[in-house]
Each structure stands twice: as structure tokens, then as C-alpha cells.
């Protein structure tokens, strides 16, 4: 982060000249820095965890606009801003929703915001469950609220896909003169932003995922007394062979410059010692829009959002099969502390880290893919006519499934034909059992994920006499196992009465 008075000079520094270097150096030695370097604020700890057949999506936006005369200053507070969600499947059901907002303080913490759901429903004055503050650089606040109950019934026609709005946030923008010079010491540090996390379930999802949200509000910056570095560990997952893992973070007050003074002004000769970064298992995250040593650079799915970062990275290759923990290190500066040099090269910039979210495939059996299917043949039949019901159970996951248990209760109007059940063409129950063994659950034993990984269950049933034509009789199975933490529902199969 630049000091406020540096803004005008810094705009000329993308390719250094002697004048630019002189301007930068003069301002740096004459004007006090806006940075106060330390690790401060609320430490990150586990806030929420979910294990779902589904996944998670995030959205968010800034609530301030840049000044035209000082593009590195958020000078206008917006009434509201929009964030899009487009990646949810057609059958998504909301498991949980969490709203986060933050800003530079006006002297008080704004504990409420307005939220508009994807279907257009507006919730005024959504109250925070918790807020924390940091007094550095004029003061900042960070709040969160569980908004699951508000949004659950407001998915709209596109199942929670759509545009969400957040507004009515009271935060302090940067005050500038007509020539772009700042009127307050911490002008460039001002921001306001929000983010929404949606955890969903979906019967069409192909994997089971663990979702971990670690929340905190850390201000990081290196100075002559301490390295601006913080660490924490994410625990409790079990990474499978060929699994997928994504890490998302909500960063605040970062900008496109590095260091105090800025040391990355030449794109052809980047600074090798001025860092702001986030490491996952010892590797600094980066992509085409986020250099590894300038990760907090005001980037989000919507593009450049000054003072806010909302970035997601594929970290699958950084995990080993069977790994259950991941280390997070976030830092500003090069980690070299020299108490005799108050403004060292490589000093990084001041920024904040909000929530960190890991979504990772679970090492588990998987009965949610195409290999597991329920069918009724024929799908149209008259009263007293018999149908054949087939349930193929296939473990297409990454782990064996001991005590795989299948439950299937027939709907009223469809009656089991005694003694008709077969598993892989073998009669598993001697005699003419009158009740379907699937009604209260039938144990298939250990269903491996390699080799012989499936069972085919068939039986016959008859449509009861007197069932009215046009009646739709629908069946659906459920599968559980010792190593399956979440019961899996099969597809629905229907026979229509003629």
C-alpha cells in the first residue's frame, strides 16, 4: 500500500525515469508512510464445515469507486453493488449461505447491510452475527452473518443462479482534492467490500466434497521490528487419488502496487524482494492475473476491484493422496527484519485477509455417478400387471464401502412379488419371503472401488387392483456404508398406470 501523498507521483511510475525515481524518493523521505507494520486483528480459525454431495460457489464486489484524478484511491461510496452466480447445477439445494462485509470505519462499525437474493427479494438490515475491528490506518471493521434461512426459499427459477446485491454499508471513502492530493493521512487505504458464500447439495453432483471456511480478519505488513507473516492449518479432509481441491480467499485493501515505497513499477524488471503472497503447503499461489509475489492486487471474478481480492486457485497438485491437513502462510514483505532500517526494501504492503475457503473432494465411496441407477420396466402398466425393478449399485469412488446397505420402499399401489429378489442373478434370501428385503435395508457387504465394484439387484412387483389410470407410482432407493458419511439417494423411477 502506498502512503496517501504518493498517489500523484506513483501514477507516473509504471516505467521508471530519473524524474520518477526522484519524485518517489523525495516523497518517501519527506512524507510519513501510511503503513504501520505488524500482524494484527482476529486470527483465523474454523468457522464452518460441510460435507456435501455438491459443492460451493462464491461471489462478491467492491462497494467503492475509484477517483478519476487519483485512480489508486477509493473516493466514492456506492449505494450497492452486484455479484453474479452462474455455476450452480439445475437441481441445486441450498445447504448454507454466509455473508461477509468489511470497510474503513467512519468511527463506528456498520453491523447491518441490505441483501437482495437471486429472485429479487430484498432483505433490509441483515444483522451481523459477529464483527471485529482493527485500528490501524484509521480503522477497519469486518462482519459476517449466516443468511441460510433468508435465502433458502429464494432460489428463483434458476436454482440460486443469478445476481445478488449488497448495499447500505456505511464506510469511509478516501477524501481528495481536485488535483488528486489526499485530504487525510490514510486516503489510499480506504475500501468497502462484500462476499457471499453458497454451499449447495445436488443429486446430479458426481462427488462428495468437504468444505472448510476458516474466518478471521488479519492486517499484515512487515516493518523493522517484525515480519508481516501469519500461519494456520486446515484439517479434517482426506484427499483421494485424482481428487480436486480449490482454495478461495477474501482479501481486502490490497492494490496493484508493491512495497512502501512501491518497488514494482517496471513490468519488465519486477522487484525480487517486495512480496505480498499466500502459500498453500509451501507453494505461493498464482495464476495469469495474480503474480505469486503480488497476490493481493485488487482482482476478483468481476475484474479489477480496488481494495478487494476474491480469488480461487486449483490446489489439487499441491496435495498428496491421503493427505488430511494443509498449511496456510500469508505474508507481506520478504520476511527479513532489520530494526535499524524502518523502511526496508522488500517491506511489502499493508493488506487484510478475511475468510479462507477450501473445497476438496472426499476420499470416499461414490454411488452418485452413472453406474448407480434405478429402473422400472415397463414404465407404463395396467392394474395387476407385473413390472421388473432393477437397481444397479456401483462404487465409482476412491475407497471401499464396507457394509453397503440398500433401502428401497415401494410406493402404495405397487406390491412386491414374494421370492423374486435376485442379486447378480443369485437368490440372496432362501424361501419365499413375503416382504421385500430392501424395505428395511439389505446389506450387500463390502463393495470395492476397484475390480468387482458393483451389484445388480432385481425383483418383480405388481400394480394393485383398483389403482386409478394416470397414477404415477415412483420409487427411489437410498445407499449407506461404513465409509460413507452422507447417505446417497438414487434417481427416481416411475411407472404410470394405464
Amino acid at each position: 500500500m502506498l502512503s496517501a501523498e504518493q498517489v500523484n507521483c506513483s501514477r507516473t511510475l509504471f516505467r521508471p525515469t530519473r524524474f520518477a525515481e526522484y519524485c518517489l524518493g523525495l516523497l518517501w523521505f519527506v512524507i510519513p508512510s501510511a503503513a504501520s507494520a505488524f500482524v494484527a486483528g482476529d486470527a483465523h480459525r474454523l468457522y464452518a464445515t460441510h460435507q456435501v454431495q455438491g459443492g460451493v460457489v462464491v461471489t462478491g464486489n467492491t462497494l467503492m469507486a475509484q477517483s478519476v484524478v487519483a485512480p489508486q484511491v477509493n473516493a466514492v461510496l456506492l449505494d450497492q453493488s452486484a455479484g453474479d452466480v452462474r455455476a450452480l447445477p439445475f437441481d441445486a439445494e441450498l445447504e448454507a449461505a454466509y455473508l461477509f462485509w468489511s470497510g474503513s470505519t467512519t468511527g463506528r462499525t456498520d453491523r447491518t447491510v441490505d441483501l437482495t437474493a437471486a429472485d429479487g427479494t430484498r432483505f433490509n438490515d441483515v444483522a451481523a452475527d459477529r464483527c471485529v475491528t482493527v485500528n490501524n490506518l484509521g480503522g477497519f471493521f469486518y462482519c459476517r452473518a449466516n443468511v441460510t434461512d433468508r435465502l433458502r426459499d429464494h432460489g428463483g427459477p434458476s436454482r440460486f443462479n443469478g445476481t445478488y446485491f449488497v448495499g447500505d454499508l456505511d464506510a469511509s471513502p478516501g477524501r481528495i482534492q481536485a488535483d488528486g492530493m489526499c485530504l487525510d493521512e490514510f486516503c489510499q487505504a480506504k475500501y468497502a467490500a462484500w462476499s457471499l458464500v453458497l454451499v449447495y447439495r445436488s443429486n446430479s453432483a458426481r462427488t462428495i466434497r468437504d468444505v472448510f471456511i476458516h474466518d478471521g480478519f488479519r492486517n499484515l505488513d512487515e516493518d523493522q521490528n517484525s515480519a508481516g507473516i501469519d500461519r494456520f492449518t486446515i484439517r479434517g479432509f482426506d484427499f483421494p487419488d485424482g481428487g480436486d481441491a480449490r482454495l478461495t480467499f477474501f482479501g481486502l485493501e490490497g492494490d496493484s502496487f508493491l512495497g512502501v515505497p512501491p518497488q514494482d513499477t517496471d513490468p519488465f524488471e519486477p522487484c525480487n524482494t517486495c512480496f505480498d503472497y499466500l502459500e498453500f503447503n509451501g507453494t505461493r499461489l498464482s495464476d495469469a492475473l495474480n503474480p505469486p509475489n503480488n497476490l493481493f492486487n485488487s482482482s476478483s471474478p468481476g475484474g479489477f476491484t480496488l481494495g478487494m481480492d476474491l480469488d480461487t486457485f486449483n490446489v489439487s497438485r499441491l496435495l498428496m493422496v491421503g493427505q488430511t491437513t494443509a498449511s496456510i502462510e500469508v505474508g507481506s514483505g520478504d520476511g527479513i527484519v532489520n530494526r535499524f532500517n524502518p523502511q526496508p526494501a522488500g517491506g511489502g504492503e499493508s493488506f487484510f485477509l478475511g475468510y479462507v475457503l477450501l473445497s476438496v473432494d472426499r476420499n470416499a465411496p461414490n454411488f452418485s455417478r452413472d453406474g448407480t441407477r434405478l429402473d422400472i420396466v415397463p414404465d407404463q402398466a395396467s392394474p395387476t400387471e407385473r413390472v421388473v425393478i432393477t437397481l444397479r449399485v456401483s462404487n465409482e469412488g476412491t475407497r471401499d464401502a464396507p457394509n453397503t446397505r440398500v433401502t428401497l420402499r415401494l410406493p402404495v399401489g405397487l406390491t412386491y412379488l414374494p421370492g423374486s429378489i435376485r442379486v447378480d442373478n443369485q437368490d440372496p434370501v432362501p424361501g419365499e419371503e413375503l416382504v421385500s428385503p430392501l424395505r428395511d435395508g439389505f446389506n450387500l457387504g463390502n463393495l470395492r472401488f476397484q475390480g468387482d465394484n458393483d451389484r445388480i439387484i432385481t425383483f418383480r412387483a405388481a400394480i394393485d387392483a383398483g389403482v386409478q389410470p394416470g397414477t404415477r407410482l415412483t420409487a427411489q432407493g437410498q445407499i449407506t456404508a461404513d465409509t460413507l458419511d452422507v447417505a446417497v439417494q438414487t434417481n427416481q423411477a416411475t411407472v404410470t398406470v394405464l
Side-chain angles (χ1 to χ4, degrees):
M1 188 200 76
L2 301 176
S3 63
E5 292 81 2
Q6 289 174 311
V7 172
N8 281 347
C9 281
S10 68
R11 292 168 58 198
T12 70
L13 293 180
F14 289 101
R15 191 160 182 82
T17 64
R18 290 186 177 180
F19 169 77
E21 291 169 358
Y22 169 77
C23 175
L24 175 59
L26 178 64
L27 282 175
W28 180 246
F29 287 107
V30 172
I31 305 297
S33 168
S36 177
F38 47 54
V39 175
D42 197 47
H44 284 78
R45 55 182 60 87
L46 183 62
Y47 166 50
T49 180
H50 300 272
Q51 189 173 117
V52 292
Q53 180 183 331
V56 60
V57 295
V58 302
T59 188
N61 209 339
T62 178
L63 276 163
M64 286 191 182
Q66 304 161 250
S67 165
V68 175
V69 295
Q72 290 296 324
V73 177
N74 275 318
V76 179
L77 179 65
L78 304 177
D79 292 336
Q80 65 176 10
S81 62
D84 290 333
V85 172
R86 299 287 182 238
L88 291 173
F90 69 94
D91 59 348
E93 297 291 340
L94 189 65
E95 169 78 5
Y98 304 104
L99 180 62
F100 304 83
W101 64 92
S102 180
S104 39
T105 181
T106 60
R108 72 175 188 90
T109 296
D110 192 347
R111 301 183 61 90
T112 64
V113 291
D114 295 344
L115 170 65
T116 302
D119 69 350
T121 302
R122 185 180 180 90
F123 301 96
N124 292 318
D125 297 328
V126 175
D129 302 324
R130 186 171 188 267
C131 292
V132 294
T133 59
V134 170
N135 294 325
N136 190 31
L137 302 175
F140 302 86
F141 62 90
Y142 177 87
C143 300
R144 72 185 184 213
N146 186 326
V147 292
T148 308
D149 291 340
R150 287 182 171 88
L151 295 183
R152 193 186 303 280
D153 297 326
H154 296 281
S158 299
R159 305 305 302 166
F160 301 99
N161 287 305
T163 301
Y164 295 79
F165 293 87
V166 171
D168 195 24
L169 175 64
D170 188 17
S172 174
R175 296 185 302 116
I176 57 174
Q177 300 175 157
D179 61 359
M181 296 299 289
C182 285
L183 292 172
D184 60 79
E185 183 182 3
F186 307 118
C187 175
Q188 195 189 332
K190 307 299 186 180
Y191 74 85
W194 63 275
S195 179
L196 178 67
V197 175
L198 302 179
V199 183
Y200 67 91
R201 294 183 178 273
S202 165
N203 286 333
S204 64
R206 303 299 185 170
T207 59
I208 296 171
R209 292 184 75 84
D210 286 314
V211 177
F212 302 91
I213 304 173
H214 284 70
D215 196 27
F217 188 49
R218 280 301 216 196
N219 181 202
L220 300 107
D221 191 10
E222 181 183 297
D223 68 5
Q224 73 271 26
N225 296 314
S226 65
I229 296 174
D230 198 21
R231 301 177 180 90
F232 63 93
T233 301
I234 301 174
R235 308 176 187 275
F237 57 91
D238 187 359
F239 191 64
D241 186 17
D244 178 82
R246 311 277 166 157
L247 188 86
T248 298
F249 72 85
F250 184 35
L252 300 154
E253 212 260 301
D255 58 44
S256 57
F257 292 95
L258 272 173
V260 180
Q263 300 159 73
D264 67 336
T265 53
D266 188 341
F268 301 102
E269 297 180 14
C271 175
N272 294 319
T273 59
C274 40
F275 306 137
D276 61 68
Y277 66 91
L278 191 148
E279 290 184 357
F280 183 89
N281 279 345
T283 297
R284 295 193 175 182
L285 300 181
S286 64
D287 58 24
L289 299 177
N290 296 278
N293 290 328
N294 189 12
L295 201 65
F296 294 83
N297 61 357
S298 297
S299 62
S300 73
F304 180 77
T305 45
L306 182 60
M308 169 195 156
D309 286 271
L310 186 60
D311 297 312
T312 298
F313 299 90
N314 186 333
V315 295
S316 308
R317 65 180 181 83
L318 304 179
L319 291 169
M320 296 183 295
V321 175
Q323 190 164 342
T324 59
T325 65
S327 62
I328 302 295
E329 179 178 298
V330 58
S332 176
D334 58 7
I336 301 173
V337 177
N338 181 357
R339 63 188 182 89
F340 299 107
N341 185 1
Q343 301 296 344
E349 66 163 335
S350 175
F351 63 85
F352 293 84
L353 181 64
Y355 72 77
V356 176
L357 185 156
L358 178 66
S359 173
V360 56
D361 285 349
R362 184 78 179 174
N363 187 19
N366 192 332
F367 299 102
S368 301
R369 298 189 175 185
D370 293 339
T372 297
R373 182 169 178 81
L374 178 65
D375 291 293
I376 300 178
V377 177
D379 60 5
Q380 294 181 327
S382 302
T384 71
E385 188 175 348
R386 294 176 179 178
V387 296
V388 177
I389 300 175
T390 303
L391 175 58
R392 181 188 180 104
V393 181
S394 180
N395 180 4
E396 297 176 272
T398 56
R399 190 176 183 183
D400 290 350
N403 289 316
T404 299
R405 192 173 187 86
V406 177
T407 303
L408 195 158
R409 296 190 176 187
L410 294 176
V412 175
L414 200 58
T415 300
Y416 174 73
L417 184 66
S420 66
I421 191 169
R422 298 291 184 271
V423 177
D424 289 346
N425 292 320
Q426 301 295 315
D427 186 356
V429 182
E432 296 290 313
E433 73 284 345
L434 299 179
V435 177
S436 168
L438 300 178
R439 187 186 70 174
D440 297 318
F442 183 76
N443 196 319
L444 295 175
N446 183 26
L447 208 53
R448 294 181 172 275
F449 75 97
Q450 294 177 320
D452 184 15
N453 70 333
D454 66 355
R455 300 290 183 271
I456 298 177
I457 304 170
T458 60
F459 63 93
R460 287 174 289 169
I463 296 176
D464 296 344
V467 177
Q468 295 298 311
T471 302
R472 291 170 56 85
L473 303 176
T474 300
Q476 185 176 32
Q478 177 179 279
I479 303 168
T480 61
D482 288 353
T483 51
L484 191 65
D485 295 327
V486 180
V488 174
Q489 305 297 320
T490 72
N491 64 294
Q492 294 182 341
T494 300
V495 56
T496 301
V497 180
L498 298 175

